[in-house]
Amino acid sequence: MNKFIECFWIFIIGSFIGYICETIWCIIRWKKIESRKGLIYGYLIPIYGIATLMISLIVDYYGIKNYFLFFIITFLICSIVEYISSFCQEKCFGTKSWDYSKMKGNINGRINILYLSIWSLMGIFWCKYYKIIINIIIIPLTKIGIISEITILFFIFTLYNCFISICASYRQKLRRKAIKPKNKFEKWLDNNYSDERLNKIYANAKVID
């Protein structure tokens, strides 16, 4: 199996599982359905996909099969990805989608020991069975000979999705500072990705600047 294809679908599946988990948590914790998307289009949260991919690559490369090591690797990777993601979101877009500063065991409000432990327990399951999960998705497409085409289409769309999501969010930050669009692209962003639309998509993002 082509390694790129496997890595890409691990990222997509991890991003989707993250969205499902966040949605369920929102329903349980806040008794409501709220958009927890990380990108404008689709139901993905990329930081989950990035963490899932990094964990999978490490486990696969070193041939790790120990449950305790599964837990430790997931804990460390999730800590790093979540902290960096929170920092970048704050600095680039002037918003926060989570803040653990009122909880015990937090570091700068960006990561929390309790939640990291929960994700790490779930990580044990992923490390043990992710190959099976990937094969369930990929093998049927491989058998009918369209896995490469489907992957390329999804990859191109995902790149566009990430690009437009970043641009629209950054442009929203500039609008909050009353900075007018300087070119046709920024005008297009203002017309197609208004504050009202973005606030619905990123409903849990709180402005901090």
Side-chain angles (χ1 to χ4, degrees):
M1 182 186 301
N2 187 292
K3 194 64 178 179
F4 169 76
I5 292 175
E6 180 180 339
C7 288
F8 175 73
W9 287 107
I10 288 174
F11 169 79
I12 293 296
I13 293 170
S15 298
F16 180 69
I17 291 175
Y19 171 81
I20 296 298
C21 291
E22 287 283 346
T23 301
I24 293 174
W25 171 248
C26 187
I27 293 172
I28 295 173
R29 181 68 177 85
W30 307 109
K31 304 296 188 295
K32 64 178 181 179
I33 297 177
E34 181 180 83
S35 175
R36 291 300 179 100
K37 298 198 297 183
L39 299 174
I40 290 175
Y41 300 106
Y43 302 97
L44 305 173
I45 304 181
I47 65 170
Y48 284 90
I50 293 171
T52 301
L53 177 57
M54 292 176 65
I55 292 166
S56 303
L57 289 174
I58 291 174
V59 168
D60 185 51
Y61 182 80
Y62 291 103
I64 299 171
K65 297 181 179 180
N66 182 279
Y67 284 15
F68 178 72
L69 289 180
F70 287 162
F71 181 91
I72 296 300
I73 290 170
T74 302
F75 189 93
L76 292 175
I77 294 299
C78 288
S79 299
I80 294 170
V81 172
E82 187 174 28
Y83 192 97
I84 293 176
S85 298
S86 174
F87 179 84
C88 290
Q89 180 182 349
E90 180 181 336
K91 298 303 178 183
C92 294
F93 308 125
T95 60
K96 280 186 178 181
S97 292
W98 62 90
D99 185 359
Y100 304 124
S101 58
K102 294 182 180 180
M103 298 180 65
K104 293 182 179 180
N106 80 86
I107 299 179
N108 297 329
R110 303 187 190 282
I111 58 177
N112 174 268
I113 301 300
L114 174 61
Y115 289 149
L116 286 171
S117 298
I118 294 173
W119 288 120
S120 298
L121 290 173
M122 295 176 65
I124 294 175
F125 178 86
W126 173 263
C127 293
K128 182 68 176 178
Y129 298 108
Y130 81 91
K131 286 286 187 180
I132 297 175
I133 296 173
I134 292 300
N135 287 335
I136 290 173
I137 302 295
I138 294 179
I139 287 179
L141 296 177
T142 302
K143 288 182 177 180
I144 59 178
I146 61 170
I147 183 62
S148 297
E149 291 80 359
I150 293 294
T151 301
I152 291 172
L153 288 175
F154 267 85
F155 178 70
I156 293 173
F157 174 73
T158 301
L159 285 180
Y160 171 78
N161 200 4
C162 291
F163 172 76
I164 206 67
S165 298
I166 291 171
C167 291
S169 296
Y170 185 73
R171 179 60 201 148
Q172 185 182 36
K173 175 185 176 181
L174 297 181
R175 286 199 298 270
R176 288 196 298 267
K177 297 181 178 182
I179 299 177
K180 295 182 179 181
K182 298 178 181 179
N183 51 57
K184 291 183 179 180
F185 179 61
E186 291 187 349
K187 290 180 180 178
W188 180 82
L189 289 172
D190 287 351
N191 291 331
N192 290 275
Y193 302 100
S194 64
D195 291 343
E196 181 181 4
R197 181 179 181 183
L198 292 180
N199 289 340
K200 288 180 180 179
I201 295 172
Y202 306 121
N204 65 323
K206 309 301 180 185
V207 177
I208 60 172
D209 57 343

